[in-house]
Amino acid sequence: MNGYKAPSFQDRAAASLQAKEKALAKLKAAPQPDAAQLELRAERRVEREKLAAAKAAKARQQRDDKQRLAEEKRAEAKAAKAKAELPKRTEAEMKAARDARYAARKSRK
């Protein structure tokens, strides 16, 4: 009984070359696209690129809007903090300011 005989290097190289030639022949036999198909593909590619550019612009606009809103919130928080840190006026100061407003109103009449 004969056992399994492994193929030699030359056998493997020949099989590889034969497979490559077969694949190349199959590729050459494939139908080539005509000019109309190529033009249609180009138009579709241009449309896809336009859509991608519009999508990127929209994403960029949304990101910019988010950043602007965040900046506005930070500015509002900073203003509120600054307003809260103002020294509190005493009752005497508030009474003096009120009296000054009353006097200014009377002087206009």
Side-chain angles (χ1 to χ4, degrees):
M1 176 174 190
N2 290 340
Y4 173 73
K5 182 179 177 189
S8 68
F9 176 76
Q10 286 81 15
D11 294 337
R12 292 191 315 262
S16 173
L17 182 63
Q18 185 179 11
K20 287 178 185 177
E21 288 175 357
K22 185 178 176 183
L24 183 61
K26 184 177 178 182
L27 183 65
K28 285 183 179 180
Q32 298 297 321
D34 59 353
Q37 285 181 335
L38 292 175
E39 186 176 326
L40 182 63
R41 287 180 185 176
E43 289 174 5
R44 287 180 180 166
R45 186 185 71 244
V46 168
E47 288 177 20
R48 282 193 311 268
E49 290 173 354
K50 285 181 183 178
L51 288 175
K55 187 177 180 180
K58 184 177 180 181
R60 190 171 34 254
Q61 180 67 31
Q62 288 176 346
R63 186 184 66 238
D64 291 346
D65 288 345
K66 286 181 183 178
Q67 287 178 348
R68 184 179 45 80
L69 288 174
E71 291 287 330
E72 289 175 2
K73 285 183 180 180
R74 278 191 226 112
E76 289 174 4
K78 188 176 181 181
K81 184 179 179 184
K83 186 176 180 182
E85 290 177 353
L86 288 176
K88 302 293 182 189
R89 296 192 323 183
T90 64
E91 286 187 35
E93 290 173 335
M94 290 190 295
K95 184 178 183 311
R98 185 178 66 233
D99 291 344
R101 285 194 308 269
Y102 290 158
R105 193 174 343 149
K106 281 203 169 225
S107 68
R108 280 185 261 150
K109 290 184 180 182

